[in-house]
């Protein structure tokens, strides 16, 4: 089963008699799988759970982390492997990678985790990764789950270097998800690790959310339809790709990295293309999607090209724009404003950050009202209010929301 | 070193029905582990509850296969730096699981050698050391033993296993164990290290093709299988090269 790739132009034509700008949403829909089938056919999981037990995790956070770890062990089956690593300034292999035939030994091991010193985050990750690597199974989903509430302050701490190490492991078949807990973790590092790790990202403020998060992670792993997904965009015949609104990370070949394909989760890539006066039936853009199917050996590819009808520029301006495309593009632009606001916050310029968020709100308010736009507006307003009250929390949430453009970001169901 | 599977019942190895006295247990464990195990060690583990209580036959303690498995697992994990409290939850596992743990723990060079992720992680471990070494090794590679023609030959040989498969599917040359590599691969060695400070994600491999001429290959480069596709690929590369050479000053 292949994913489908849809071109959704903001306006369904380009100009024949003048230069024009084409705003386009490329929607990737993973192949549908009934829930039943997912459960039955899910590949085995080869996981390492890496838990920060530095001093700051002490008390409630660590007790929830243990509880959530017990939950995770209870959800896995004899086909799955789980290793548990805890780290402060030292790394402890709490449980070597073992098939989960009986959760009991895991539960006993989890109870031995107590809080300690500083945060050797990279070493902890590497120990977990090594456990997964020792049992690397091309047919399984091999992943490290990293839970931390702090900044890496021991061992390797450079964000780019850590992310590069994580990316190198991704290329060798082991992905990494990064979960930040509380208000002291390094959101930039966790974001970079999850993106480079081809895993998911979660920023959670209450440790009580951990069990839900792990449940969602397992569900997500079970519904993985494509890993190491990349998208290549080639504008043709003098058309020029001027912007990719998601600000995706580049891969080696001038392609872009996308998060995992998960059944039921569409990925949207927003692009802007500048065109000279266009001839009919001329290809505008060629898109090449590539991914690894779980358990598959060959890299999968899907190539699709875009052609659009041409018309006079005057008529083009009169065409209605697609409201859904409009909303999605506006959200991608608003996420970019969030990134700008974070940079301004880091320079200490709260006024400028506030204006960026205001600009983001303006983008969303320009859309016809819908549940989607109302939610986005509410999120933005909340961050603006927080800017002055709790700059740190505001920054964390802005970072999480902006990363929706290029990662799988866990969001708690909002039915509370 | 004697390395046999403790679950098999080959001569001298434990079968499930077998029972031993303390001396026999120590001998069997010592054989398998390649280290001497003393009775004190066994008593220590027993008092800590890591090894099940032995049976009694008259006044003698009698040990079975499970005791041996527990002892082997404790020693193998302890040698990997696990604390006894970390090991404790494992020794209560059923026998077949103890075996599996042991099997997973034994250093099977064939399995590890083919595990690129593991090699990679081990490479990360001593990246700092490798960086410090790069200058020295780089200098050594500049004047390979056997002269320049020899260097070209060696390069061709080290490229061979890469052909026909995506680069990333192959074990990458170690970035850390320069000293352990065979001395006859200077070209390959030089460059694994040259990128010590570069991002590990975009590792490049360099091959000397001729004096002063090197080929750089990224980890992610895929080389078509032998046959017309490879010929076409090489042809395209040659054309690109010629174009580059013709660029006017």
């Amino acid at each position: 089963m292949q994913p489908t790739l849809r071109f959704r132009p903001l306006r369904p034509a380009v100009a024949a008699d003048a230069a024009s700008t084409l705003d386009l949403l490329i929607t990737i829909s993973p192949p549908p799988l009934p829930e039943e089938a997912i459960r039955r056919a899910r590949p085995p999981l080869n996981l390492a759970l890496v838990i920060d037990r530095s001093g700051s995790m002490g008390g409630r956070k660590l007790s929830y982390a243990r509880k959530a770890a017990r939950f995770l062990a209870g959800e896995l089956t004899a086909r799955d492997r789980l290793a548990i690593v805890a780290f402060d300034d030292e790394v402890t292999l709490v449980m070597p990678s073992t098939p989960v035939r009986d959760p009991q030994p895991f539960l006993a091991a989890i109870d031995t985790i107590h809080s300690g010193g500083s945060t050797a985050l990279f070493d902890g990750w590497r120990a977990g990764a090594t456990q997964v690597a020792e049992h690397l199974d091309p047919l399984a989903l091999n992943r490290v789950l990293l839970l931390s509430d702090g900044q890496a302050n021991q061992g390797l701490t450079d964000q780019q270097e850590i992310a590069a190490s994580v990316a190198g492991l991704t290329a060798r078949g082991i992905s990494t998800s990064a979960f930040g807990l509380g208000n002291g973790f390094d959101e930039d590092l966790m974001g970079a690790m999850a993106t480079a790790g081809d895993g998911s990202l979660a920023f959670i403020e209450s440790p009580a959310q951990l069990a839900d998060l792990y449940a969602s992670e397992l569900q997500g792993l079970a519904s993985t339809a494509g890993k190491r997904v990349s998208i290549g965009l080639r504008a043709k015949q003098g058309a020029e790709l001027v912007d990719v609104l998601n600000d995706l990370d580049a891969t080696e070949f001038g392609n872009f990295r996308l998060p995992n394909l998960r059944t039921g989760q569409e990925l949207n890539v927003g692009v802007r293309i500048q065109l000279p006066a266009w001839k009919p039936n001329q290809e505008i853009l060629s898109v090449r999607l590539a991914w690894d199917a779980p358990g598959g050996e060959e890299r999968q590819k899907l190539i699709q090209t875009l052609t659009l009808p041409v018309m006079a520029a005057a008529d083009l301006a009169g065409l209605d724009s697609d409201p859904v495309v409009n909303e999605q593009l506006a959200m991608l632009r608003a996420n970019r404003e969030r990134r700008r606001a974070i940079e301004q916050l880091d320079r200490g310029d709260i006024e400028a950050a506030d204006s960026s968020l205001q600009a983001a709100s303006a983008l969303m308010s320009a859309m016809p009202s819908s549940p989607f736009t109302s939610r986005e507006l509410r999120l933005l307003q909340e961050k603006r209010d927080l800017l002055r009250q709790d700059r740190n929390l505001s920054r964390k949430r802005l970072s999480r929301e902006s990363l929706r453009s290029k990662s799988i970001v866990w969001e708690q169901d909002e039915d509370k | 070193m004697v390395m046999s599977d403790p679950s098999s019942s080959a001569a001298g190895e434990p079968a499930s029905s077998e029972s031993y006295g303390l001396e026999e247990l120590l001998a069997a464990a010592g054989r398998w582990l390649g280290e001497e195990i003393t009775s004190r060690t066994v008593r220590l583990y027993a008092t800590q509850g890591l090894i099940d209580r032995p049976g009694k036959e008259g006044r003698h303690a009698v040990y079975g296969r499970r005791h041996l498995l527990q002892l082997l697992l404790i020693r193998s994990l302890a040698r990997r730096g696990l604390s006894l409290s970390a090991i404790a939850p494992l020794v209560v596992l059923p026998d077949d699981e103890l075996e599996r743990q042991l099997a997973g723990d034994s250093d099977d060079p064939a399995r590890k050698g083919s595990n690129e992720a593991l090699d990679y992680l081990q490479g990360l471990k001593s990246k700092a050391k490798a960086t410090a070494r790069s200058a020295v090794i780089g200098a050594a590679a500049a004047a390979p033993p056997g002269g320049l023609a020899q260097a070209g030959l060696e390069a061709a040989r080290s490229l061979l296993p890469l052909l026909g498969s995506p680069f990333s599917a192959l074990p990458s040359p170690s970035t850390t164990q320069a000293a352990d590599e065979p001395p006859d691969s200077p070209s390959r060695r030089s460059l694994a290290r040259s990128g010590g400070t570069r991002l590990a994600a975009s590792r490049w491999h360099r091959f000397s093709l001729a004096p002063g001429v090197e080929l750089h290959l990224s980890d992610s480069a895929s080389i078509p299988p032998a046959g017309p596709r490879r010929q076409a690929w090489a042809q395209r590369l040659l054309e690109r090269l010629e174009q580059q050479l013709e660029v006017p000053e």
Side-chain angles (χ1 to χ4, degrees):
Chain A
M1 286 276 265
Q2 284 221 326
T4 55
L5 209 156
R6 262 182 307 155
F7 293 114
R8 299 155 87 184
L10 186 61
R11 291 193 174 74
V14 294
D17 52 351
S20 61
T21 300
L22 170 65
D23 286 320
L24 175 71
L25 193 68
I26 302 165
T27 298
I28 300 139
S29 313
L33 274 180
E35 184 125 341
E36 261 297 283
I38 296 173
R39 278 192 194 288
R40 241 180 305 122
R42 110 163 144 68
L45 305 177
N46 174 15
L47 303 180
L49 178 62
V50 180
I51 300 174
D52 186 343
R53 53 134 195 243
S54 60
S56 56
M57 280 288 290
R60 190 163 162 263
K61 278 196 261 182
L62 197 59
S63 91
Y64 271 104
R66 284 194 296 261
K67 195 170 153 192
R70 288 194 286 267
F71 164 81
L72 183 68
E75 289 292 298
L76 297 178
T77 71
R79 299 164 62 225
D80 307 312
R81 303 190 73 98
L82 176 65
I84 301 174
V85 170
F87 68 93
D88 46 9
D89 37 342
E90 282 179 6
V91 176
T92 310
L93 184 52
V94 177
M95 186 74 176
S97 180
T98 311
V100 193
R101 291 197 178 74
D102 171 12
Q104 203 51 47
F106 289 88
L107 305 188
I110 288 162
D111 287 334
T112 67
I113 304 173
H114 298 289
S115 61
S118 55
T119 311
L121 185 143
F122 180 72
D123 291 336
W125 170 80
R126 208 184 52 218
T130 302
Q131 287 298 309
V132 177
E134 282 181 352
H135 303 279
L136 185 65
D137 175 359
L139 296 178
L141 288 160
N142 304 279
R143 176 167 292 186
V144 182
L145 312 175
L146 174 70
L147 171 67
S148 176
D149 77 327
Q151 322 264 336
N153 56 17
Q154 174 92 25
L156 183 59
T157 56
D158 179 74
Q159 181 194 316
Q160 279 185 324
E161 221 176 310
I162 293 178
S165 303
V166 170
L169 190 66
T170 304
R172 291 164 177 82
I174 300 174
S175 54
T176 299
S177 288
F179 309 143
L181 172 60
N183 54 19
F185 65 87
D186 181 342
E187 63 267 30
D188 294 343
L189 176 62
M190 297 306 252
M193 287 180 83
T195 308
D198 201 29
S200 53
L201 172 70
F203 294 172
I204 53 177
E205 283 152 28
S206 160
Q209 297 168 294
L210 271 175
D212 282 352
L213 167 63
Y214 289 175
S216 142
E217 179 76 359
L218 290 177
Q219 173 70 29
L221 281 165
S223 54
T224 301
K227 309 182 285 185
R228 296 181 57 223
V229 186
S230 74
I231 186 167
L233 305 166
R234 304 283 180 271
K236 304 204 154 185
Q237 335 270 357
E240 193 192 348
L241 179 68
V242 291
D243 199 1
V244 180
L245 300 178
N246 305 58
D247 295 325
L248 299 166
D249 295 347
T251 68
E252 308 82 36
F253 306 109
N255 297 330
F256 298 103
R257 183 153 56 205
L258 287 177
N260 283 179
L261 299 174
R262 285 181 173 181
T263 299
Q265 265 182 26
E266 288 190 337
L267 303 177
N268 285 310
V269 178
V271 299
R272 169 164 281 190
I273 297 168
Q274 210 66 56
L275 302 153
W278 207 249
K279 294 193 200 79
N281 302 321
Q282 226 180 201
E283 285 180 3
I284 298 170
L285 178 74
S286 149
V287 175
R288 177 182 178 280
L289 189 73
W291 68 96
D292 291 346
E297 309 232 313
E298 294 258 303
R299 196 147 168 84
Q300 311 287 309
K301 280 174 217 132
L302 176 64
I303 297 171
Q304 227 156 292
T305 51
L306 168 72
T307 45
L308 283 174
V310 298
M311 57 172 65
D315 298 335
L316 181 60
L319 287 181
D320 284 339
S321 60
D322 180 324
V324 174
V325 174
N326 219 350
E327 268 178 10
Q328 289 292 329
L329 295 176
M331 185 189 72
L332 293 172
R333 289 201 172 92
N335 284 349
R336 186 178 269 175
E337 290 298 334
R338 285 175 167 97
R339 286 189 284 280
R340 198 192 310 268
I342 288 173
E343 281 168 30
Q344 289 155 338
L345 269 184
D346 291 348
R347 288 202 307 270
D349 193 344
I350 295 193
E351 285 309 316
D354 190 52
S355 333
S356 295
L357 295 186
Q358 199 177 355
S361 295
L363 284 165
M364 296 313 301
S365 339
M367 300 293 122
S369 177
S370 73
F372 178 82
T373 55
S374 325
R375 175 167 187 269
E376 288 301 309
L377 280 169
R378 188 165 48 70
L379 289 174
L380 285 164
Q381 187 56 48
E382 186 189 277
K383 304 305 123 33
R384 288 186 71 189
D385 296 343
L386 266 178
L387 269 186
R388 284 179 179 78
Q389 295 158 21
D390 188 341
R391 182 171 137 181
N392 172 47
L393 185 57
S394 177
R395 191 189 189 284
K396 285 195 164 43
R397 291 187 179 169
L398 283 171
S399 169
R400 169 177 68 196
E401 288 161 19
S402 78
L403 282 164
R404 295 177 301 178
S405 292
K406 61 174 184 181
S407 278
I408 293 180
V409 179
W410 184 71
E411 291 179 275
Q412 178 124 59
D413 293 336
E414 292 196 333
D415 45 14
K416 45 179 178 179
Chain B
M1 202 190 324
V2 182
M3 273 289 181
S4 41
D5 180 354
S7 60
S8 77
S9 0
E13 294 300 331
S16 46
S17 60
E18 214 155 327
S19 64
Y20 330 73
L22 180 61
E23 291 303 319
E24 288 166 305
L25 177 75
L26 296 178
R31 244 191 341 266
W32 200 76
L33 290 163
E35 69 171 339
E36 196 191 337
I37 305 291
T38 67
S39 54
R40 266 178 52 202
T41 310
V42 174
R43 272 200 299 278
L44 170 74
Y45 293 159
T47 52
Q48 301 216 348
L50 295 172
I51 296 181
D52 292 356
R53 295 205 156 279
K56 288 272 181 196
E57 216 166 73
R59 296 168 58 189
H60 295 283
V62 180
Y63 297 86
R65 178 164 167 277
R66 179 167 176 81
H67 297 100
L68 177 60
L69 289 172
Q70 287 174 323
L71 182 56
L72 294 179
L73 184 62
I74 297 165
R75 284 309 307 155
S76 340
L77 293 176
R79 285 197 297 204
R80 286 165 67 193
L82 263 78
S83 68
L84 294 185
S85 63
I87 296 171
L90 291 175
V91 296
V92 303
L93 294 169
D95 287 9
D96 59 340
E97 195 48 57
L98 292 178
E99 270 169 35
R100 250 180 280 267
Q101 279 294 331
L102 270 171
D105 181 61
S106 68
D107 284 274
D108 174 357
R111 188 170 67 91
K112 293 219 165 145
S114 65
N115 188 329
E116 209 200 337
L118 208 52
D119 292 347
Y120 171 76
L121 286 162
Q122 276 154 6
L124 286 180
K125 197 166 182 174
S126 30
K127 207 154 80 173
K129 273 185 241 155
T131 312
R133 264 190 202 159
S134 62
V136 181
I137 294 160
L148 294 164
Q150 176 72 15
L153 199 68
E154 294 301 340
R157 198 197 293 171
S158 22
L159 242 176
L160 216 56
L162 303 175
L163 296 173
S165 60
F167 204 109
S168 55
L170 287 152
S172 57
S174 160
T175 53
T176 56
Q177 295 168 345
D180 304 337
E181 283 189 42
D184 64 345
S185 58
S187 57
R188 219 169 143 167
R189 231 204 277 169
S190 60
L191 73 137
R193 229 125 346 277
S194 66
T197 54
R198 286 180 54 95
L199 298 184
S202 52
R203 206 177 329 161
W204 289 82
H205 305 265
R206 299 177 4 196
F207 301 93
S208 292
L209 299 181
V213 181
E214 281 180 340
L215 170 66
H216 290 221
L217 270 178
S218 148
D219 264 355
S220 51
S222 71
I223 302 171
R229 274 180 60 208
R230 174 151 354 128
Q231 278 171 16
W233 175 77
Q235 189 58 41
R236 276 199 306 279
L237 291 183
L238 194 59
E239 282 162 14
R240 290 295 303 275
L241 177 63
E242 274 167 357
Q243 280 167 15
Q244 296 289 328
L245 295 174
E246 279 163 16
V247 170
E249 297 286 325

mmCIF file of all heavy atoms in Angstrom, chain A residues 56-75:
data_model
loop_
_atom_site.group_PDB
_atom_site.id
_atom_site.type_symbol
_atom_site.label_atom_id
_atom_site.label_comp_id
_atom_site.label_asym_id
_atom_site.label_seq_id
_atom_site.Cartn_x
_atom_site.Cartn_y
_atom_site.Cartn_z
ATOM 1 N N SER A 56 17.041 16.970 39.582
ATOM 2 C CA SER A 56 15.812 17.734 39.364
ATOM 3 C C SER A 56 14.606 16.839 39.083
ATOM 4 O O SER A 56 13.465 17.272 39.169
ATOM 5 C CB SER A 56 16.016 18.686 38.190
ATOM 6 O OG SER A 56 16.406 17.954 37.053
ATOM 7 N N MET A 57 14.862 15.576 38.736
ATOM 8 C CA MET A 57 13.738 14.676 38.457
ATOM 9 C C MET A 57 13.154 14.105 39.742
ATOM 10 O O MET A 57 12.143 13.404 39.711
ATOM 11 C CB MET A 57 14.197 13.508 37.571
ATOM 12 C CG MET A 57 14.309 13.795 36.095
ATOM 13 S SD MET A 57 12.739 13.980 35.223
ATOM 14 C CE MET A 57 12.091 12.298 35.225
ATOM 15 N N GLY A 58 13.825 14.363 40.850
ATOM 16 C CA GLY A 58 13.421 13.743 42.105
ATOM 17 C C GLY A 58 11.966 14.002 42.449
ATOM 18 O O GLY A 58 11.346 14.941 41.971
ATOM 19 N N GLY A 59 11.412 13.147 43.297
ATOM 20 C CA GLY A 59 10.052 13.346 43.788
ATOM 21 C C GLY A 59 8.996 12.937 42.785
ATOM 22 O O GLY A 59 9.072 11.871 42.186
ATOM 23 N N ARG A 60 8.061 13.850 42.565
ATOM 24 C CA ARG A 60 6.869 13.535 41.804
ATOM 25 C C ARG A 60 7.198 13.122 40.364
ATOM 26 O O ARG A 60 6.640 12.180 39.827
ATOM 27 C CB ARG A 60 5.982 14.781 41.816
ATOM 28 C CG ARG A 60 4.612 14.561 41.268
ATOM 29 C CD ARG A 60 3.668 15.692 41.684
ATOM 30 N NE ARG A 60 2.515 15.692 40.817
ATOM 31 C CZ ARG A 60 2.380 16.481 39.756
ATOM 32 N NH1 ARG A 60 3.330 17.333 39.448
ATOM 33 N NH2 ARG A 60 1.308 16.416 38.991
ATOM 34 N N LYS A 61 8.139 13.854 39.755
ATOM 35 C CA LYS A 61 8.438 13.582 38.346
ATOM 36 C C LYS A 61 8.961 12.165 38.160
ATOM 37 O O LYS A 61 8.521 11.439 37.274
ATOM 38 C CB LYS A 61 9.472 14.593 37.829
ATOM 39 C CG LYS A 61 8.835 15.908 37.442
ATOM 40 C CD LYS A 61 9.765 16.736 36.587
ATOM 41 C CE LYS A 61 10.447 17.771 37.433
ATOM 42 N NZ LYS A 61 11.336 18.642 36.660
ATOM 43 N N LEU A 62 9.900 11.786 39.019
ATOM 44 C CA LEU A 62 10.475 10.464 38.857
ATOM 45 C C LEU A 62 9.460 9.380 39.210
ATOM 46 O O LEU A 62 9.426 8.321 38.592
ATOM 47 C CB LEU A 62 11.748 10.327 39.697
ATOM 48 C CG LEU A 62 12.628 9.155 39.290
ATOM 49 C CD1 LEU A 62 13.066 9.280 37.850
ATOM 50 C CD2 LEU A 62 13.857 9.074 40.184
ATOM 51 N N SER A 63 8.615 9.677 40.171
ATOM 52 C CA SER A 63 7.641 8.646 40.524
ATOM 53 C C SER A 63 6.658 8.443 39.362
ATOM 54 O O SER A 63 6.267 7.319 39.064
ATOM 55 C CB SER A 63 6.946 8.976 41.851
ATOM 56 O OG SER A 63 5.774 9.710 41.637
ATOM 57 N N TYR A 64 6.312 9.528 38.681
ATOM 58 C CA TYR A 64 5.476 9.371 37.484
ATOM 59 C C TYR A 64 6.238 8.686 36.358
ATOM 60 O O TYR A 64 5.674 7.901 35.594
ATOM 61 C CB TYR A 64 4.954 10.721 37.010
ATOM 62 C CG TYR A 64 3.645 11.105 37.640
ATOM 63 C CD1 TYR A 64 3.582 12.053 38.642
ATOM 64 C CD2 TYR A 64 2.457 10.501 37.220
ATOM 65 C CE1 TYR A 64 2.380 12.409 39.231
ATOM 66 C CE2 TYR A 64 1.256 10.842 37.807
ATOM 67 C CZ TYR A 64 1.216 11.800 38.802
ATOM 68 O OH TYR A 64 0.019 12.131 39.360
ATOM 69 N N ALA A 65 7.524 9.005 36.253
ATOM 70 C CA ALA A 65 8.326 8.378 35.198
ATOM 71 C C ALA A 65 8.381 6.870 35.416
ATOM 72 O O ALA A 65 8.300 6.093 34.465
ATOM 73 C CB ALA A 65 9.729 8.968 35.191
ATOM 74 N N ARG A 66 8.496 6.460 36.676
ATOM 75 C CA ARG A 66 8.506 5.019 36.974
ATOM 76 C C ARG A 66 7.157 4.406 36.644
ATOM 77 O O ARG A 66 7.071 3.339 36.036
ATOM 78 C CB ARG A 66 8.849 4.789 38.451
ATOM 79 C CG ARG A 66 10.325 4.961 38.779
ATOM 80 C CD ARG A 66 10.656 4.388 40.159
ATOM 81 N NE ARG A 66 9.960 5.111 41.206
ATOM 82 C CZ ARG A 66 10.521 6.068 41.956
ATOM 83 N NH1 ARG A 66 11.785 6.384 41.771
ATOM 84 N NH2 ARG A 66 9.831 6.687 42.881
ATOM 85 N N LYS A 67 6.115 5.130 37.043
ATOM 86 C CA LYS A 67 4.768 4.626 36.794
ATOM 87 C C LYS A 67 4.543 4.444 35.286
ATOM 88 O O LYS A 67 4.039 3.416 34.829
ATOM 89 C CB LYS A 67 3.768 5.638 37.369
ATOM 90 C CG LYS A 67 2.360 5.139 37.513
ATOM 91 C CD LYS A 67 1.546 6.157 38.312
ATOM 92 C CE LYS A 67 0.085 6.073 37.942
ATOM 93 N NZ LYS A 67 -0.671 7.220 38.465
ATOM 94 N N ALA A 68 4.970 5.446 34.523
ATOM 95 C CA ALA A 68 4.775 5.383 33.073
ATOM 96 C C ALA A 68 5.628 4.279 32.462
ATOM 97 O O ALA A 68 5.219 3.616 31.507
ATOM 98 C CB ALA A 68 5.112 6.732 32.449
ATOM 99 N N ALA A 69 6.811 4.069 33.017
ATOM 100 C CA ALA A 69 7.666 2.996 32.514
ATOM 101 C C ALA A 69 7.021 1.640 32.782
ATOM 102 O O ALA A 69 7.059 0.742 31.943
ATOM 103 C CB ALA A 69 9.049 3.076 33.164
ATOM 104 N N ARG A 70 6.406 1.514 33.967
ATOM 105 C CA ARG A 70 5.712 0.256 34.274
ATOM 106 C C ARG A 70 4.566 0.040 33.297
ATOM 107 O O ARG A 70 4.329 -1.060 32.819
ATOM 108 C CB ARG A 70 5.174 0.288 35.713
ATOM 109 C CG ARG A 70 6.281 0.181 36.759
ATOM 110 C CD ARG A 70 5.706 -0.124 38.140
ATOM 111 N NE ARG A 70 5.058 1.028 38.743
ATOM 112 C CZ ARG A 70 5.675 1.887 39.566
ATOM 113 N NH1 ARG A 70 6.940 1.706 39.882
ATOM 114 N NH2 ARG A 70 5.028 2.906 40.069
ATOM 115 N N PHE A 71 3.880 1.145 32.993
ATOM 116 C CA PHE A 71 2.793 1.056 32.024
ATOM 117 C C PHE A 71 3.323 0.557 30.675
ATOM 118 O O PHE A 71 2.757 -0.344 30.051
ATOM 119 C CB PHE A 71 2.136 2.437 31.868
ATOM 120 C CG PHE A 71 1.274 2.574 30.656
ATOM 121 C CD1 PHE A 71 -0.025 2.095 30.644
ATOM 122 C CD2 PHE A 71 1.773 3.168 29.506
ATOM 123 C CE1 PHE A 71 -0.813 2.209 29.518
ATOM 124 C CE2 PHE A 71 0.997 3.291 28.378
ATOM 125 C CZ PHE A 71 -0.303 2.802 28.377
ATOM 126 N N LEU A 72 4.438 1.142 30.246
ATOM 127 C CA LEU A 72 5.016 0.774 28.953
ATOM 128 C C LEU A 72 5.366 -0.713 28.941
ATOM 129 O O LEU A 72 5.037 -1.433 27.991
ATOM 130 C CB LEU A 72 6.265 1.624 28.687
ATOM 131 C CG LEU A 72 6.962 1.422 27.355
ATOM 132 C CD1 LEU A 72 6.092 1.922 26.215
ATOM 133 C CD2 LEU A 72 8.304 2.153 27.320
ATOM 134 N N ALA A 73 6.013 -1.171 29.991
ATOM 135 C CA ALA A 73 6.389 -2.595 30.065
ATOM 136 C C ALA A 73 5.147 -3.472 29.999
ATOM 137 O O ALA A 73 5.150 -4.538 29.383
ATOM 138 C CB ALA A 73 7.177 -2.869 31.338
ATOM 139 N N GLY A 74 4.068 -3.007 30.635
ATOM 140 C CA GLY A 74 2.837 -3.785 30.645
ATOM 141 C C GLY A 74 2.158 -3.855 29.287
ATOM 142 O O GLY A 74 1.431 -4.800 28.989
ATOM 143 N N GLU A 75 2.400 -2.849 28.436
ATOM 144 C CA GLU A 75 1.739 -2.802 27.137
ATOM 145 C C GLU A 75 2.464 -3.649 26.087
ATOM 146 O O GLU A 75 1.916 -3.944 25.040
ATOM 147 C CB GLU A 75 1.688 -1.353 26.618
ATOM 148 C CG GLU A 75 0.726 -0.450 27.362
ATOM 149 C CD GLU A 75 -0.711 -0.847 27.116
ATOM 150 O OE1 GLU A 75 -1.144 -0.801 25.955
ATOM 151 O OE2 GLU A 75 -1.398 -1.226 28.087
#
